[in-house]
Amino acid sequence: AKSEGHNLYRFFEPDMDAMVLARRALEADLEAALPHREFELDFQPIMNIASGEVVGAEALMRWHSPTRGLVQPDDFIRVAEETGLVVPLGEWALRKACTTAARWPSGLRIAVNVSAMQIRSGAFARSVISALAYSGVAADRLELEITETVLMDESDMVLKALRQLRDLGVRIALDDFGTGYSSLGYLRRFPVDKIKIDRSFIRDIDKRDTAAIVRTIIGLGAQLGITVTAEGVETDAQLDFLRQEGCVEAQGYLIGAPSNAATMQRLLGSATPR
Ligand code: C2E
Ligand code: CA
Ligand code: CA
Ligand code: CA
């Protein structure tokens, strides 16, 4: 039985050439996907917990590949970062998100995910300003969601670009808060407008220790004047806890799953304009 197992292992040993080829094929498909208009944005509503109203939506990228089917961002964003495609792709997303939000009631915000590589590319602030001008969306309606890898960057260029945009009224949200190495340090290094508590905390919110951490993050936000948004809210019990603790915003399947622009437009069109 032992030698059989050994043979099986050898049989299934990953073939490096095949892996390299698969990766190259993915890179080539990704490269072609932008000119072929295979990308789309879905939008997920964000709710103010106290009022129960939708206050905006987050744009989430989808790749409709003719050969691979629907590919989720977790399966292509990293490769797009490694090849540099994330720069033009991110620019496209910014424009698409802003032109979509231009048709929403004007009180509603649009949140767009931005990768570290995109901001490091140099022309980032300019491309944001151009997306706003092109769409006619006011700067204070746009929220850029960054992770701490962005703030980890040593170069001044990144902080300068973020500061320039913030001065124009663009909001900066720290995404996946709590999952990194020193999230608190980054709050001192760069003043953000919002923190988004990672959904792994919300999932375990019924555990005593996790509840204490979430409560602390909410209190921290209140003390610093930073909006706190809870991600991945799926149950009434989770929302009740967050409401009780004074969390400002919630996002998750309980409030609404990501949906295409037309569906989101219908949902937001019926929202009370402010
Ligand atoms: P994220 O920014 O943390 O986005 C939230 C993810 O959680 C989304 O996954 C969303 O569909 C999912 N989600 C929302 N509510 C719930 C819930 O109640 N339960 C659970 N289990 N999941 C929920 P998605 O759309 O697959 O995106 C994954 C990640 O890909 C995003 O995480 C973000 O880091 C990245 N991403 C998406 N769009 C873009 C983009 O345009 N640019 C960049 N650079 N990254 C993007
Ligand atoms: Ca996000
Ligand atoms: Ca997140
Ligand atoms: Ca995430």
Side-chain angles (χ1 to χ4, degrees):
K2 211 171 183 182
S3 64
E4 239 172 75
H6 183 69
N7 285 339
L8 274 174
Y9 172 73
R10 282 188 48 190
F11 186 75
F12 286 113
E13 197 172 5
D15 181 346
M16 281 314 288
D17 291 343
M19 281 168 67
V20 169
L21 286 177
R23 163 72 189 229
R24 287 215 189 109
L26 175 60
E27 288 177 5
D29 285 0
L30 260 179
E31 201 71 46
L34 195 55
H36 292 170
R37 301 167 181 265
E38 291 165 16
F39 293 105
E40 214 177 281
L41 294 179
D42 272 359
F43 297 87
Q44 185 177 33
I46 302 171
M47 182 185 86
N48 180 285
I49 296 177
S51 71
E53 282 181 65
V54 172
V55 291
E58 176 179 359
L60 295 160
M61 209 181 279
R62 304 290 179 253
W63 176 20
H64 298 272
S65 161
T67 51
R68 297 164 187 270
L70 173 61
V71 191
Q72 299 294 329
D74 283 333
D75 296 322
F76 68 83
I77 290 284
R78 182 165 313 164
V79 178
E81 275 172 347
E82 285 163 11
T83 63
L85 181 74
V86 81
V87 177
L89 187 56
E91 243 171 73
W92 169 84
L94 262 167
R95 260 183 185 237
K96 188 77 181 174
C98 288
T99 51
T100 304
R103 297 193 293 270
W104 300 347
S106 63
L108 297 175
R109 297 215 186 100
I110 174 69
V112 183
N113 292 285
V114 175
S115 86
M117 159 108 193
Q118 212 181 326
I119 307 187
R120 267 188 239 120
S121 75
F124 180 66
R126 221 181 316 136
S127 74
V128 174
I129 292 165
S130 136
L132 289 171
Y134 176 82
S135 62
V137 166
D140 64 0
R141 290 180 64 195
L142 176 65
E143 224 161 61
L144 300 176
E145 298 198 358
I146 63 174
T147 57
E148 65 173 46
T149 26
V150 170
L151 299 181
M152 243 159 65
D153 198 292
E154 298 294 314
S155 71
D156 276 349
M157 191 175 72
V158 167
L159 295 184
K160 226 179 98 187
L162 292 179
R163 225 165 255 135
Q164 184 191 350
L165 291 169
R166 204 161 177 261
D167 287 345
L168 291 173
V170 174
R171 284 158 213 261
I172 310 294
L174 201 46
D175 208 349
D176 305 341
F177 189 80
T179 57
Y181 293 108
S182 59
S183 304
L184 293 181
Y186 296 112
L187 284 185
R188 288 212 311 173
R189 184 141 178 233
F190 188 83
V192 301
D193 302 281
K194 174 183 276 196
I195 50 191
K196 300 190 79 172
I197 308 177
D198 190 71
R199 75 164 180 265
S200 56
F201 293 96
I202 309 306
R203 188 188 53 218
D204 293 339
I205 216 166
D206 56 340
K207 301 198 173 100
R208 223 189 63 199
D209 291 355
T210 306
I213 293 170
V214 170
R215 193 178 289 125
T216 303
I217 297 175
I218 294 169
L220 178 75
Q223 299 252 336
L224 295 175
I226 295 172
T227 302
V228 177
T229 304
E231 292 189 307
V233 178
E234 296 182 355
T235 68
D236 283 313
Q238 291 166 346
L239 185 61
D240 287 343
F241 176 91
L242 293 162
R243 182 183 293 114
Q244 212 159 41
E245 298 301 331
C247 186
V248 180
E249 294 176 348
Q251 182 179 355
Y253 296 158
L254 180 71
I255 291 103
S259 59
N260 66 30
T263 305
M264 183 52 57
Q265 171 90 56
R266 271 196 300 278
L267 193 148
L268 296 176
S270 60
T272 331
R274 52 201 46 245

